Amino acid sequence: MSGLPDARACPGLGEASDLKFPLGAKFREPLTEARFQQLFGDAEQESDLLSEPRWSRLCRQWRRLPGACSGPGAWRLLLARLPPLRWLPHYRWRAWLLGDAVAGVTVGIVHVPQGMAFALLTSVPPVFGLYTSFFPVLIYTLLGTGRHLSTGTFAVLSLMTGSAVERLVPEPLGGNLSEIEREQLDAQRVGAAAALAFGSGALMLGMFALQLGVLSTFLSEPVVKALTSGAALHVLVSQLPSLLGLPLPRQIGCFALFKTLAAVLTALPRSSPAELTISALSLALLVPVKELNVRFRDKLPTPIPGEIVMVLLASVLCFTSSLDTRYNVQIVGLLPGGFPQPRLPNLAELPRILVDSLPIALVAFAVSASLASIYADKYSYTIDSNQELLAHGVSNLISSLFSCFPNSATLATTSLLVDAGGNTQLAGLFSCIVVLSVLLWLGPFFYYLPKAVLACINISSMRQMFFQMQELPQLWRISRMDFAVWMVTWVAVVILSVDLGLAIGVVFSMMTVICRTQRVQCLALGLAEGTELYRPLRESHKLCKVPGLCILSYPAPLYFGTRGQFRRTLEWHLGLGEGGKEAPKTDGPPDAVAEPVRVVVLDCSGLTFADVAGAREVVQLASRCLDAGIHLLLAQCNGESLSTGDTDPGRTPEQSDPRTAVRQCPGCSCSCPGETGEGAGATGGKPRRCWAI
């Protein structure tokens, strides 16, 4: 800016240390492009690589494909897709094996009652919850990258799947079904649940093929926590008929929670005293055990398996007292031994279930990816989001062939796995051994298990989700926008349904991001005394401002939604009113005299992108500045914002991108345009990221 009069009003390079700064602070020399290439020889090579046409880069990558299909390339691909090949050779057998074994057995013991309980939530027989606690866990052990992640049945997915199954295969209006009709209805519902697992797995594999693991970021933490908290309330209300022994049909669709409450209150006089007593005793045991496990997790060698203890006690009590015949208590019945015959789900149902499979797939991946990321950060390792898509997609797809319903990582068993000392995915194998022993040999012991106990297990497992509401005061203090996202999602989930609540939460979260871009302020910058930093003028009065020069920073994308705010903000700073040039505004001290602006530098380093409307707005601004006698300079233009995107050296910037009418600033040597010195001419005509209009 040496061409401006009174440019020496700000201390020069030599004055800084002599007059005002006793510590001898000095400004460093500007690092020009020629000096940078002299110090770092790869700069020119990288610049040439960036200026390479896109089609030639694609051709070069295509020529590398045969090398990727070689033996070493195939081995690298195998290492990337089968994580045990990477971590198993480095497994610390003496240090980790005991912890993985204890944690796996503990989680497997919990999987047995929870799997049967969540199967009832899915509207399928209990044994299919055991299948879902075996096959997905085994597959994720081979394909997953989360070392501390426990997969299997998940209450939120079971609730969503159960609502879809009830809608696809409704129960007859009469309700009094024979044993054969009940078996046929159960078989149809099992097929619908397996088809949902197949559809969600296929969708996740499609997302993996397109490398869309980044989609998990669109389900923000407030959305996921509000979704799980609201779904936990749905689970609690949906289990009330089983707790009270009321044979009520399941309510689905919008306002299902209130419909269920109304039906329970209406039928409350017909509740079963025996099942009500069993439910009260079960909750009286399960809830304190859960609290003890949480409060004394550091002192207990392994968590107390309250669920399996309750299952054994209730089964023995029901068998010895003949509660099923004397008081008509609903029991689990015979669990078939072995595994089901693998069969492909009815593909004719796929068009009907795709609408339900999409939110199930998104929730499954979002919850699993967020849990894996939390424990990966805690224990200092990394996960691959796209590999997680592959793992959960294959897990749902293959397990659907064995009549499993949709599955994902679970909050309760993952926390239990970590507390029990799990270290790697090998704990999943020990968990599978426990479930396998129940499927092959121990199934008959659960014949007299009351279904009311399974309902109590469902409710007690929601403890962690209910307590997420304790974070709301802290969320209010940190970010009221995130608090609003949490509340809107939770209210939508509770009042409407889990699917619609998820959609409303995601849309509202995206709208908050868009609204935040509308409220960005354009800041006037000045040089802080004794430093090389440019700070907003309103932050401190001890800033150096060159007369006639205005430096503005616009830290937001410039697109059709923000162009109006961009125009009004710059008009305010430059004094460009409707009637012509006005007195410019100043962010400095109140007594500062506003001088006419002759040069304005717009710092575009925070401008991530600009669309056609935004670029046209810059051109119109340049035209207005030209009429007002103001020279407009753009600094730090990103490749995707306002700089030219065509690298053809035979074309001018105006020809390459007619939206911006940008030309190179001929005398630029650094990020501040207009300085004299080594610029584009001195560096062989290399294009700069600093432009003049």
Side-chain angles (χ1 to χ4, degrees), residues 350-687:
L350 286 181
R352 296 176 57 195
I353 57 94
L354 278 180
V355 178
D356 299 298
S357 298
L358 180 59
I360 289 175
L362 290 178
V363 171
F365 175 59
V367 172
S368 302
S370 61
L371 271 178
S373 299
I374 289 172
Y375 287 100
D377 294 339
K378 182 177 180 179
Y379 292 98
S380 303
Y381 63 91
T382 59
I383 63 167
D384 185 353
S385 59
N386 288 307
Q387 180 66 20
E388 289 294 300
L389 267 177
L390 175 65
H392 291 287
V394 173
S395 175
N396 280 273
L397 193 68
I398 294 182
S399 63
S400 68
L401 305 180
F402 296 91
S403 303
C404 297
F405 49 86
N407 57 86
S408 70
T410 62
L411 301 175
T413 55
T414 298
S415 177
L416 182 64
L417 178 73
V418 175
D419 293 340
N423 298 291
T424 64
Q425 297 93 318
L426 195 62
L429 292 181
F430 294 97
S431 174
C432 291
I433 292 174
V434 175
V435 179
L436 180 64
S437 64
V438 174
L439 287 172
L440 296 181
W441 303 294
L442 304 179
F445 290 97
F446 300 96
Y447 183 92
Y448 290 99
L449 175 62
K451 290 185 177 180
V453 175
L454 297 180
C456 294
I457 293 175
N458 276 334
I459 294 175
S460 63
S461 64
M462 297 294 102
R463 175 195 176 280
Q464 190 174 359
M465 300 184 191
F466 282 125
F467 277 87
Q468 289 180 145
M469 301 187 70
Q470 293 180 342
E471 302 176 4
L472 286 178
Q474 182 183 7
L475 193 62
W476 171 264
R477 293 190 297 268
I478 295 175
S479 173
R480 296 186 179 182
M481 192 70 72
D482 287 343
F483 178 86
V485 171
W486 202 104
M487 291 303 301
V488 167
T489 305
W490 187 86
V491 170
V493 169
V494 170
I495 294 179
L496 300 177
S497 64
V498 178
D499 301 346
L500 290 177
L502 172 64
I504 292 174
V506 171
V507 171
F508 185 77
S509 178
M510 293 295 102
M511 289 300 298
T512 59
V513 175
I514 295 175
C515 291
R516 290 177 185 181
T517 62
Q518 307 291 320
R519 302 170 61 184
V520 175
Q521 297 180 352
C522 187
L523 303 175
L525 306 180
L527 182 63
E529 292 183 354
T531 69
E532 297 176 336
L533 301 178
Y534 284 83
R535 306 292 298 172
L537 292 176
R538 64 183 183 182
E539 290 187 3
S540 174
H541 301 331
K542 296 182 179 181
L543 296 173
C544 176
K545 187 175 185 301
V546 178
L549 172 65
C550 181
I551 304 177
L552 301 176
S553 175
Y554 188 75
L558 181 57
Y559 63 103
F560 64 92
T562 58
R563 58 176 299 187
Q565 176 71 14
F566 175 80
R567 182 195 313 117
R568 291 188 296 270
T569 302
L570 265 70
E571 285 177 351
W572 187 88
H573 280 284
L574 302 180
L576 299 176
E578 294 293 336
K581 187 173 181 180
E582 300 177 355
K585 307 299 186 296
T586 176
D587 288 338
D591 56 348
V593 179
E595 299 188 12
V597 176
R598 296 190 298 276
V599 176
V600 56
V601 177
L602 182 60
D603 179 17
C604 302
S605 58
L607 199 154
T608 55
F609 71 91
D611 64 355
V612 176
R616 188 179 296 115
E617 189 64 40
V618 176
V619 174
Q620 294 174 359
L621 174 66
S623 177
R624 295 187 61 185
C625 288
L626 183 63
D627 295 338
I630 300 175
H631 194 52
L632 175 63
L633 302 175
L634 305 182
Q636 296 293 331
C637 290
N638 297 322
E640 298 295 331
S641 57
L642 297 175
S643 62
T644 58
D646 195 339
T647 56
D648 187 354
R651 303 174 65 183
T652 63
E654 292 84 359
Q655 294 170 335
S656 301
D657 194 351
R659 300 174 302 170
T660 55
V662 177
R663 63 181 175 83
Q664 294 184 26
C665 180
C668 179
S669 61
C670 62
S671 59
C672 296
E675 297 285 351
T676 59
E678 294 178 333
T683 58
K686 296 288 184 183

Side-chain angles (χ1 to χ4, degrees), residues 248-315:
L248 298 177
R250 184 169 180 170
Q251 303 292 335
I252 59 175
C254 295
F255 312 107
L257 185 143
F258 304 102
K259 295 177 183 177
T260 303
L261 283 176
V264 169
L265 292 176
T266 304
L268 192 59
R270 304 196 308 268
S271 59
S272 171
E275 297 197 75
L276 181 59
T277 303
I278 292 174
S279 301
L281 293 176
S282 300
L283 290 176
L285 174 65
L286 291 173
V287 173
V289 168
K290 290 281 186 182
E291 289 296 326
L292 288 175
N293 286 334
V294 172
R295 291 179 181 271
F296 300 100
R297 65 174 61 185
D298 297 331
K299 298 181 180 179
L300 292 173
T302 58
I304 303 173
E307 291 88 350
I308 198 65
V309 172
M310 189 66 243
V311 165
L312 295 177
L313 291 177
S315 300

Side-chain angles (χ1 to χ4, degrees), residues 302-353:
T302 58
I304 303 173
E307 291 88 350
I308 198 65
V309 172
M310 189 66 243
V311 165
L312 295 177
L313 291 177
S315 300
V316 172
L317 178 63
C318 185
F319 173 72
T320 56
S321 304
S322 301
L323 297 179
D324 56 327
T325 57
R326 294 173 59 184
Y327 300 101
N328 198 23
V329 172
Q330 297 294 317
I331 59 175
V332 170
L334 181 64
L335 294 179
F339 297 106
Q341 192 103 20
R343 59 181 179 179
L344 193 68
N346 188 5
L347 298 181
E349 298 288 337
L350 286 181
R352 296 176 57 195
I353 57 94

